[in-house]
Amino acid sequence: MSLQSRLSGRLAQLRAAGQLLVPPRPRPGHLAGATRTRSSTCGPPAFLGVFGRRARTSAGVGAWGAAAVGRTAGVRTWAPLAMAAKVDLSTSTDWKEAKSFLKGLSDKQREEHYFCKDFVRLKKIPTWKEMAKGVAVKVEEPRYKKDKQLNEKISLLRSDITKLEVDAIVNAANSSLLGGGGVDGCIHRAAGPLLTDECRTLQSCKTGKAKITGGYRLPAKYVIHTVGPIAYGEPSASQAAELRSCYLSSLDLLLEHRLRSVAFPCISTGVFGESGRKATPVRRPPRSCWPRCESGWSSTRTRRGSSAQAEQPLAQVDRLIICVFLEKDEDIYRSRLPHYFPVA
């Protein structure tokens, strides 16, 4: 008996025993015009008909994406991987997914996800050069020479820092980074719970140091969290150094991530220290921000890095905004800024 005859006989035996699977034949009219297709990498054949009951779509397609099959017989196309679905920042519980989603949006698209509609654009914030024209304080011997370029980078603004549309805002945080009172609590509430979720992975922060997270529902793209010293009465030399380190550490993160605009609140003030006119460079109390700390603003002008040459951190920044919330704080800044950033 020939080999072909023996094979035919064996196939007949298998069919009779029900051990050989045979593709079902389409019933007349049911799968009219169906096309039997097979992909070299996508598994078994797929019967694709008008009603699609036996059609295989995304199953087994792997990295090639979902199969897009035309109704016309013999036509087969492949669609690219679908783009990530839109993330609702109000309901999402995955901070990594939300952060990645926001990075892929344009500035205009991000506006849809802001927690507020009355946000403040950077171009609407006046520079110190513009604002200083209305400042009546005259400084006979300022600490530094006039720097026109620097005066166009610095801004003083009394506003809600959570509404500023900048690359980053600085948060005067507590060591846990999980939110608290003052500006810390305001930032966490505005950004939403995803900010707290990411902060939890940072495992706290030491005094004088800073860490960075996404901004989520804030108009700001990032939040730089820094922990200022807590002092009551006259701060020690080490606490003054820690406060200075808060600003320098925040600037380091700003430059490391190539961000161009940042807003600072008052650090180690309010619920963390004393208040009122005691906050002056002379007494150097805990309620001292850069112009109130004797070496604060000077640190931003010239900073010594790992090399022997002095660096200019603000040369790589387009705008640095001092954002205060209280009128009395604004008054203090107006009186002290001319000493550090003379305009006359």
Side-chain angles (χ1 to χ4, degrees):
M1 180 181 295
S2 65
L3 178 61
Q4 184 177 1
S5 300
R6 282 184 288 175
L7 287 174
S8 299
R10 181 56 178 162
L11 289 173
Q13 292 175 0
L14 291 173
R15 289 192 187 97
Q19 298 178 19
L20 183 66
L21 299 178
V22 181
R25 296 180 179 178
R27 298 192 299 275
H30 179 63
L31 294 175
T35 302
R36 189 172 184 268
T37 64
R38 178 190 292 271
S39 168
S40 59
T41 61
C42 299
F47 288 90
L48 304 169
V50 175
F51 299 99
R53 293 182 179 179
R54 297 181 184 271
R56 285 184 178 270
T57 54
S58 59
V61 297
W64 292 99
V69 182
R71 292 176 181 269
T72 306
V75 177
R76 182 182 66 186
T77 58
W78 293 95
L81 285 171
M83 295 181 65
K86 183 175 181 180
V87 175
D88 186 345
L89 300 185
S90 300
T91 59
S92 175
T93 57
D94 188 337
W95 68 266
K96 290 183 178 180
E97 178 188 45
K99 192 173 182 179
S100 177
F101 167 70
L102 288 171
K103 283 184 178 180
L105 300 183
S106 66
D107 291 344
K108 187 64 177 177
Q109 290 171 328
R110 286 187 69 254
E111 291 181 15
E112 302 178 13
H113 304 277
Y114 293 171
F115 83 99
C116 62
K117 298 301 180 182
D118 57 339
F119 60 94
V120 182
R121 298 186 187 275
L122 180 61
K123 63 182 180 181
K124 296 292 186 180
I125 302 175
T127 64
W128 173 241
K129 178 183 176 181
E130 298 168 334
M131 175 177 282
K133 296 177 181 178
V135 175
V137 177
K138 295 187 181 297
V139 180
E140 297 297 334
E141 296 182 3
R143 293 173 179 266
Y144 300 93
K145 295 181 179 180
K146 177 182 176 181
D147 188 326
K148 180 180 179 182
Q149 184 178 11
L150 199 55
N151 289 339
E152 293 176 346
K153 292 177 178 288
I154 301 296
S155 293
L156 171 61
L157 179 69
R158 181 157 64 94
S159 180
D160 182 347
I161 197 172
T162 66
K163 295 184 178 182
L164 304 189
E165 190 181 50
V166 291
D167 286 344
I169 60 174
V170 176
N171 177 24
N174 59 43
S175 59
S176 73
L177 302 183
L178 300 181
V183 68
D184 188 14
C186 292
I187 289 175
H188 274 267
R189 286 190 295 271
L194 294 175
L195 175 62
T196 306
D197 291 342
E198 183 178 3
C199 284
R200 191 171 286 110
T201 68
L202 300 180
Q203 299 179 347
S204 74
C205 182
K206 295 181 179 180
T207 301
K209 302 300 181 180
K211 295 187 177 182
I212 190 170
T213 66
Y216 301 100
R217 298 178 65 236
L218 292 167
K221 295 177 182 177
Y222 295 90
V223 179
I224 297 175
H225 309 262
T226 189
V227 181
I230 300 177
Y232 298 96
E234 194 73 16
S236 65
S238 62
Q239 289 173 331
E242 288 173 336
L243 180 60
R244 182 165 60 253
S245 178
C246 287
Y247 294 102
L248 296 183
S249 298
S250 299
L251 276 176
D252 285 339
L253 283 177
L254 188 77
L255 301 181
E256 179 183 337
H257 289 78
R258 299 181 179 182
L259 306 179
R260 306 293 302 186
S261 57
V262 61
F264 278 86
C266 298
I267 298 175
S268 286
T269 66
V271 297
F272 294 109
E274 298 176 327
S275 61
R277 288 285 176 176
K278 294 181 180 181
T280 64
V282 178
R283 296 192 56 176
R284 296 169 58 190
R287 189 180 174 80
S288 61
C289 298
W290 288 0
R292 303 176 192 172
C293 181
E294 188 170 350
S295 56
W297 279 113
S298 59
S299 300
T300 71
R301 297 182 63 114
T302 304
R303 172 174 59 97
R304 187 169 298 280
S306 57
S307 64
Q309 295 180 346
E311 301 176 2
Q312 292 290 340
L314 292 186
Q316 303 175 51
V317 178
D318 294 331
R319 189 71 69 82
L320 191 150
I321 303 162
I322 308 161
C323 185
V324 298
F325 190 70
L326 300 177
E327 184 177 358
K328 61 182 179 180
D329 288 335
E330 183 183 23
D331 292 339
I332 294 175
Y333 270 103
R334 281 177 175 270
S335 66
R336 298 309 304 169
L337 277 179
H339 292 268
Y340 295 85
F341 299 95
V343 294

